[in-house]
Amino acid sequence: MVVILLGPPGVGKGTQAVRLADSVGWEHVSTGDLLRAARRAGTELGRKAQAFMDAGELVPDSLILDLVRDHLKGIPPEAGILLDGFPRTTAQAEGLDGVLEAVGRRVDQVVVFEAPDEELIRRLSGRRSCPECGAVFNVHFTPPKQEGICDRCGAALVHRADDKAETVENRLKVYAAQTEPLIEWYGRSEAAVVAVSAEAPVDDVQREFRKAVGH
Ligand code: AP5
């Protein structure tokens, strides 16, 4: 099964994907995480992506498609896949169809997470991320046991540079202009499109998400 998690920045795609992947053993593929890892490793891709990410703009489609193509190659053909933060444009969606078709697969389901902008802004202003293991916390909702320290690996938590108010505003605009149209695009495809309200606490959203994907 190939499932796309679609939704604006801060809606909880990563939080929900990690929980489901951990519990059912599916592969979680987050292009944001892959790009941040490339930046930390100082690769050419990381250097090229940096300015786009810091400005809250999308990284060019060609770079993203190469990254995803390479990453998907390493996933066994029978594994369930949760795509988080990809695709974000119709060009990426078309590219993904080609990559999946080559291995006899297709997008089975698109889950659209929804929450009002005020809630997204609150979540992103409180988000603290672990640069080492990728764990995500929130000073308002799910604080770490020790302030500023990752519960999972003990590294110092960071407030992502692109979670600053002015960048968040741009990311929301970019989502509305370039990614939201994918909901209609997938509505015309064979994939099932299901909306899940992401306003409730994390466990409640997870329950709805699991119902939507039949787990
Ligand atoms: P990316 O990392 O993908 O960012 P995003 O899509 O903007 O999503 P976020 O990671 O900000 O939010 P999320 O929905 O995963 O929320 P989370 O679970 O963390 O992309 C970053 C950048 O990389 C892009 O701007 C772009 O430049 C580039 N990029 C990435 N992919 C690309 C692509 N395909 N094409 C081109 N460019 C690309 O939750 C947020 C916070 O809320 C957390 O603190 C969490 O603890 C909390 N929270 C979650 N759920 C709840 C809840 N139910 N109740 C209360 N708090 C909650």
Side-chain angles (χ1 to χ4, degrees), residues 90 94 97 110 181-193:
T90 49
E94 285 162 358
D97 279 352
V110 178
L182 282 180
I183 300 172
E184 260 189 56
W185 194 89
Y186 277 113
R188 295 191 296 274
S189 78
E190 284 179 14
V193 180

Side-chain angles (χ1 to χ4, degrees), residues 3-211:
V3 177
I4 293 173
L5 289 85
L6 205 61
V11 77
K13 303 179 294 296
T15 302
Q16 296 302 331
V18 166
R19 286 188 172 219
L20 183 62
D22 280 355
S23 130
V24 300
W26 288 5
E27 297 285 337
H28 171 213
V29 180
S30 157
T31 42
D33 287 349
L34 292 174
L35 289 168
R36 282 183 287 278
R39 284 179 64 167
R40 280 199 303 282
T43 65
E44 194 186 342
L45 167 68
R47 282 195 296 279
K48 284 182 179 163
Q50 183 162 346
F52 295 101
M53 294 174 79
D54 288 347
E57 296 292 335
L58 295 185
V59 174
D61 290 333
S62 57
L63 294 179
I64 295 291
L65 281 166
D66 286 348
L67 173 72
V68 170
R69 201 175 289 118
D70 278 358
H71 192 77
L72 290 184
K73 263 192 222 152
I75 296 181
E78 67 287 356
I81 300 177
L82 294 170
L83 293 171
D84 163 12
F86 172 85
R88 267 167 143 104
T89 63
T90 49
Q92 291 182 18
E94 285 162 358
L96 172 65
D97 279 352
V99 172
L100 291 176
E101 210 178 299
V103 290
R105 302 186 75 167
R106 64 180 178 89
V107 174
D108 298 292
Q109 194 156 21
V110 178
V111 180
V112 183
F113 291 92
E114 299 171 331
D117 281 3
E118 314 82 77
E119 178 66 13
L120 305 175
I121 290 165
R122 201 145 57 101
R123 287 182 186 180
L124 292 176
S125 71
R127 174 163 61 185
R128 297 294 180 270
S129 309
C130 178
E132 295 301 325
C133 75
V136 174
F137 302 87
N138 196 290
V139 296
H140 308 305
F141 307 105
T142 49
K145 291 191 187 87
Q146 191 185 341
E147 197 185 327
I149 301 295
C150 178
D151 288 354
R152 229 160 118 193
C153 73
L157 298 175
V158 297
H159 190 203
R160 265 169 52 180
D162 61 343
D163 281 349
K164 307 248 168 0
E166 54 289 4
T167 316
V168 166
E169 200 180 310
N170 193 40
R171 284 163 66 198
L172 291 171
K173 281 191 196 144
V174 167
Y175 174 77
Q178 300 192 53
T179 306
E180 213 169 20
L182 282 180
I183 300 172
E184 260 189 56
W185 194 89
Y186 277 113
R188 295 191 296 274
S189 78
E190 284 179 14
V193 180
V194 189
V196 166
S197 168
E199 274 194 80
V202 172
D203 288 347
D204 298 350
V205 178
Q206 178 74 189
R207 204 171 308 118
E208 291 307 306
F209 180 30
R210 295 181 75 127
K211 228 190 271 170

